[in-house]
Amino acid sequence: MLKLVNITKSFNLTGNKEDNRVALDHINLEINDGDFVTVIGSNGSGKTTSLNIIAGTFMPDEGDIILDDKSITKLKEYQRAKYFGRVFQDPMLGTAGDMSIIENLEVASLRGQTHSPIKWGFKKSHREHFINELKRFDLGLEDRLNQKVGVLSGGQRQALTLLMATLAKPKVLLLDEHTAALDPKTANKVLELTERIVTEEKLTTIMITHNMKDALKYGNRLIMYHQGHIVLDVKGEEKAKLTVEDLLKLFDDVSI
Amino acid sequence: MPYIISVILNILTSGLPCCLLALGIFITYRLLDFADLTAEGSFLIGASLAIALIKVGVNPYVATLIATLGGSICGYLTSVFYTKLKIPKLLSGIITMTMTTSLALLILGITKGGTFFTNNVALSSSDPTIYSIFYFNATTLRPLIKTIIMLVIVMIVFVIIYFFFGTEYGMAIRATGMNEKMGKAQGINTERASVIALTLSNTLIALAGAMYAQDLKSCDIKISSGFLVIGLASILIGEAIFGNRSFKNRLISIALGSIVYFVIVNVAIELGFPSELKNLLYAILIVIALMLGLIKSLKKRKVIKYAQAS
Ligand SMILES: Nc1ncnc2c1ncn2[C@@H]1O[C@H](COP(=O)(O)OP(=O)(O)OP(=O)(O)O)[C@@H](O)[C@H]1O
Ligand SMILES: [Mg+2]
C-alpha cells in the first residue's frame, strides 16, 4: 500500500513571496495493492508533481510518503527506483537512444538492484526472456535486439519503456500521460497494451491522462486534481457509472 | 631501416599514446556528455610525474603507475567539484586544469631537490624509460620495440575498457550519461557514475601523457597544449570514417581515428605544410571531421524518416 500523508509542495522560481506557487496542498491519498488509478485534472493542477514526489524526483516541503508501512520520504530517487516503474510523457526520456534495445533491457532488468562492475552485462538466459517479452508486447522488435533505440518510432519507444518499467516488477507503476505524444491509433495500442500488462502482472498503477474517455475506460478508481487538491476520488461501481458528461460538469463546478 | 617504415613507426609512436588520450576524452565527452577540460591537465600531470620520478631514479614502470594515478586524482577532483560543490561542468574542469599548471612546476621541481620550480626536464640518454628497458643492444630496432610496447599497453587498456563498459555497471554508466533521467529511474546513482567516469577518463589520459613524454624523453609544462583538440579530432575522424554502430565499433573507431589523424598530419607536413602552423592544420582537420559527421547524420536521419514512414 502506498500512502501520501499531508504532502505539500510549492515552487518558487523568483524568491519573491508573492510568486510562491503551491503545487500540492496537504494531499492525502491511499492507494491499495492492485488498484489501477486513473488521474485527471487541468493543466498545472499537480498531477505530475504528485508522481515526482512519489518517485523522489524532488522532496516534499511537508508530509510523508509511506510504502508498505515504511516511510520512504528520505530515500533519494535512485534508491526508490526498485519500488517504482516509470513511463514519462516524452518518449525520449525513458530509454537511452544511443544504446541497443537489448542493452536498454539489460539495464532495466536490474532496476533498483546493484549493477555489478565485474559481471558481464549481457546474459544468455536474458536474451530469450527479452525476446519472449517483446513478442508478448507485440512490437515486431523481437528480431531487432541489436538495433539502437534511437531508430524506433515514438510508439515503439514508449512501449519499450513500458516493458523496461515492468521487467523487474515494480510495487507501483507510474504513468504520466505516456500516450500523449503518440498519434491516436498508436496511443490506443499502447493503452491496450498497458491494460493487458497491468492486469496480467496484477500491477498497482497510477496513470495520468487528459483523455476523459480513457480515464473512465481504464482502471478501477479515478482521481481528479484541482489546484493542488484532490477534488474527486471514486472507486469500483461508482466509477463505472460515471460518464464523460459527469466529469465535464465536475470540471466546470470546480473551476468556478 | 627503410624510410617508409621509419615514417610509419613515427606515426604510430605519436598515434598510439593518442589512442588512450582519445579514449579518455571519449568517456567524458561522448559517454558522459561532459566536456571535460581536465584532460590537458591530467595529460600534463601524467607526463611531468613520469619524467620527474624517472629522473630521480624511480623505476620507469613504477613512475608510470604513479603518473597514471596522478591523473585519477585530477579526474576525481573535477568530479567532486561538479557533483558535491555543484560547480558547472566546464568550470569544474577549468579549475583542475589551472591547478595542474602550477602543480607540474612543483613536480618537475622534484628533480632539483624540490626547492625550485622547474618548467622543463629532459632525461639523459642513460635514464631508463618503459621502452628502453626492452631495447637491449638492438640499436636499429629501437623504434620498432618502442612501437610494440606502446601497442601492447594500448591493446590491454582498450580490452579492459571494452569489458568494463560491457559489465552491468558499465552499461548503467553509459545509459546514465545518455539520459540522466532514465539512469535515476533505473536506480542508478548518477553522481557516482559521473565520479567513476571522470576518474577513469583522466586516468587513461595521464597514462597517455606518461607514454608520450617518455617517448620524447622530456617534459615541458607546455607539453599538453593542443592535445584536447587532437583527442577530439581523433574521435570525430574515427566516427566519421569507421562509424559508431555499437560500443565495440566505437572503440575501434577511436583507435583507428587517432592513427588516421597522425597519418593526415604527417602527410601534410611531408607535403610541405609548415610544421609551425600545425595548430591551424589541427583546427582545419576538426572542422572537416565535424562536417563529415554532419553529412553522415543527415543521411541517417533521412533513412530513419523513411523507415518510420514506410
Ligand atoms: N520543477 C518545477 N519548477 C517550478 N514549478 C513547477 C515545477 N514542476 C511543477 N511546477 C509547478 O507546479 C504546478 C503543478 O504542476 P504539475 O506539473 O504537477 O501539473 P500537472 O497537473 O501535471 O499539469 P499538466 O496537465 O500540464 O501536465 C504548476 O503550477 C507548475 O508550474
Ligand atoms: Mg503533467
Side-chain angles (χ1 to χ4, degrees), chain A residues 129-171:
Chain A
H129 178 55
F130 294 158
I131 290 176
N132 286 335
E133 289 294 303
L134 285 169
K135 273 190 192 145
R136 178 155 84 115
F137 273 60
D138 196 20
L139 297 168
L141 294 179
E142 54 274 9
D143 40 41
R144 293 170 63 183
L145 280 180
N146 292 320
Q147 282 184 16
K148 283 188 183 174
V149 169
V151 305
L152 303 184
S153 69
Q156 286 173 322
R157 245 175 123 149
Q158 249 358 27
L160 181 67
T161 311
L162 182 65
L163 171 55
M164 287 167 60
T166 54
L167 205 49
K169 191 175 174 181
K171 282 208 161 53

Side-chain angles (χ1 to χ4, degrees), chain B residues 184-197:
Chain B
K184 283 184 179 161
Q186 294 300 338
I188 296 151
N189 183 342
T190 51
E191 277 191 7
R192 189 163 51 178
S194 301
V195 172
I196 290 178

Side-chain angles (χ1 to χ4, degrees), chain A residues 166-224:
Chain A
T166 54
L167 205 49
K169 191 175 174 181
K171 282 208 161 53
V172 185
L173 178 63
L174 307 172
L175 310 169
D176 190 353
E177 296 185 50
H178 68 308
T179 58
L182 311 177
D183 67 67
K185 212 172 131 206
T186 315
N188 254 334
K189 245 185 104 179
V190 173
L191 276 172
E192 293 293 336
L193 180 64
T194 307
E195 163 152 69
R196 210 178 83 216
I197 300 304
V198 166
T199 317
E200 284 174 14
E201 304 279 326
K202 299 189 180 56
L203 294 171
T204 310
T205 304
I206 305 176
M207 179 174 95
I208 298 176
T209 175
H210 272 298
N211 187 319
M212 309 277 163
K213 265 200 224 129
D214 293 338
L216 291 172
K217 180 173 170 196
Y218 299 104
N220 63 332
R221 185 171 167 190
L222 184 147
I223 289 176
M224 185 161 135

Side-chain angles (χ1 to χ4, degrees), chain B residues 54-74:
Chain B
I54 291 173
K55 189 78 183 172
V56 299
V58 177
N59 172 292
Y61 282 90
V62 177
T64 303
L65 183 68
I66 296 172
T68 306
L69 294 177
S72 321
I73 294 172
C74 294

Side-chain angles (χ1 to χ4, degrees), chain A residues 77-78 81 88 92-93 95-96 98-99 103-104 108 110-112 115-117 119-123 148 152, chain B residues 162-163 166-169 171-172 174-175 178-179 181-182 184-189 244-245 250 304 308:
Chain A
E77 183 173 11
Y78 74 88
F88 307 98
M92 299 298 157
L93 289 182
T95 46
D98 230 7
M99 287 164 77
E103 284 173 323
N104 272 278
L110 288 173
R111 195 191 68 243
H115 292 74
S116 154
K119 273 195 215 142
W120 190 234
F122 297 96
K123 305 199 178 55
K148 283 188 183 174
L152 303 184
Chain B
Y162 172 70
F163 276 103
T167 63
E168 293 172 0
Y169 193 61
M171 259 187 213
R174 283 195 281 142
M178 244 166 257
N179 183 346
K181 222 171 155 105
M182 166 189 168
K184 283 184 179 161
Q186 294 300 338
I188 296 151
N189 183 342
N244 58 353
R245 289 180 300 280
R250 296 180 93 169
I304 292 173
Q308 284 178 356

